[in-house]
């Protein structure tokens, strides 16, 4: 970089960032298209949730740490009926979103079992009293994605016979609840 001006170096950094965002968007659209057209088949089976949730936390940890956020996975021995690869993708998308929109505090994952479903709660415990769930602030307008990750998550979970609910409490953050069937 000795021969490049500071402006040229900044332009290269910006071009690289934009190309990464574009690649992220293309990858998400390809996955979504394949899922919607039945090219990608979900293969749900009964599995323990803890290994998949542990991996999701590991994949998101560095982003959370970079923002000073704590990721908390509450212990569980529950099982559900899901495709571990694609459900991992869905949970990671939701966790990425939680990290993106939580400025301080923690994000916790917990599991509750019901007769027919298992609920995975991904709760953003926002310590600051600013409620900005649906507001794209200056801090987030340059982040990758246009909400397609959450849409992809919904398609994956519904393809497994489950569903996603979102609830927000002013000043206390939001909770994404993923419901997975307990049996086929």
């Amino acid at each position: 970089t000795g021969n490049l001006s500071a402006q040229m170096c900044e332009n290269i950094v910006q071009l690289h960032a934009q190309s990464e965002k574009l690649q992220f968007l293309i990858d998400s659209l390809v996955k979504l298209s394949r899922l919607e057209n039945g090219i990608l088949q979900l293969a749900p089976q009964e599995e323990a949730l803890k290994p998949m949730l542990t991996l999701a936390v590991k994949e998101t940890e560095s982003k959370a740490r970079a923002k000073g956020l704590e990721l908390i996975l509450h212990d569980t021995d529950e099982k559900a009926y899901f495709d571990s690869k694609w459900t991992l993708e869905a949970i990671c998308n939701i966790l990425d979103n939680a990290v993106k929109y939580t400025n301080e505090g923690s994000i916790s994952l917990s599991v509750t079992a019901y007769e027919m479903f298992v609920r995975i709660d991904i709760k953003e415990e926002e310590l600051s009293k600013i409620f900005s769930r649906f507001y794209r602030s200056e801090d987030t307008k340059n982040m990758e994605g246009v909400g397609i990750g959450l849409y992809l998550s919904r398609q994956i979970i519904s393809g497994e016979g489950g569903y996603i609910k979102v609830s927000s409490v002013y000043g206390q953050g939001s909770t994404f609840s993923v419901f997975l069937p307990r049996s086929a």
Side-chain angles (χ1 to χ4, degrees):
T1 60
N3 297 333
L4 299 176
S5 70
Q7 183 59 52
M8 290 172 84
C9 287
E10 177 61 26
N11 289 346
I12 290 169
V13 168
Q14 290 298 321
L15 280 171
H16 180 68
Q18 292 301 320
S19 69
E20 284 186 340
K21 289 178 194 174
L22 190 57
Q23 189 61 53
F24 173 85
L25 183 58
I26 290 168
D27 289 347
S28 296
L29 286 168
V30 167
K31 287 174 191 171
L32 188 58
S33 175
R34 288 179 176 166
L35 196 61
E36 288 181 332
N37 290 309
I39 297 167
L40 288 179
Q41 293 290 324
L42 296 170
Q45 57 188 29
E46 188 181 48
E47 291 194 49
L49 286 162
K50 187 176 179 179
M52 183 270 298
L53 294 175
T54 300
L55 194 52
V57 167
K58 281 183 182 169
E59 288 193 16
T60 317
E61 222 164 20
S62 63
K63 287 181 185 176
R65 204 177 305 117
K67 286 188 75 177
L69 302 174
E70 184 182 12
L71 285 181
I72 303 162
L73 174 56
H74 296 280
D75 198 22
T76 181
D77 57 2
E78 294 298 335
K79 293 181 177 181
Y81 190 74
F82 63 100
D83 181 309
S84 60
K85 177 189 173 192
W86 287 103
T87 306
L88 173 65
E89 170 107 9
I91 297 295
C92 283
N93 285 341
I94 295 169
L95 274 175
D96 277 342
N97 189 74
V99 169
K100 192 184 294 185
Y101 289 100
T102 304
N103 292 320
E104 57 177 301
S106 63
I107 298 163
S108 65
L109 288 86
S110 59
V111 176
T112 306
Y114 298 96
E115 188 176 340
M116 296 179 67
F117 285 92
V118 173
R119 186 184 80 214
I120 303 165
D121 281 338
I122 299 165
K123 185 175 183 184
E124 306 163 15
E125 300 190 26
E126 178 72 55
L127 295 182
S128 65
K129 299 302 178 193
I130 299 166
F131 182 76
S132 59
R133 156 60 53 201
F134 298 107
Y135 172 66
R136 299 254 327 155
S137 70
E138 289 297 310
D139 293 342
T140 59
K141 73 174 186 178
N142 293 320
M143 292 181 183
E144 77 274 356
V146 288
I148 197 165
L150 292 180
Y151 181 71
L152 179 60
S153 294
R154 190 179 76 181
Q155 295 299 100
I156 291 167
I157 300 302
S158 66
E160 298 173 319
Y163 61 99
I164 298 177
K165 285 176 64 177
V166 185
S167 60
S168 294
V169 177
Y170 186 85
Q172 293 178 27
S174 304
T175 301
F176 278 78
S177 296
V178 176
F179 291 81
L180 295 171
R182 289 192 77 175
S183 60

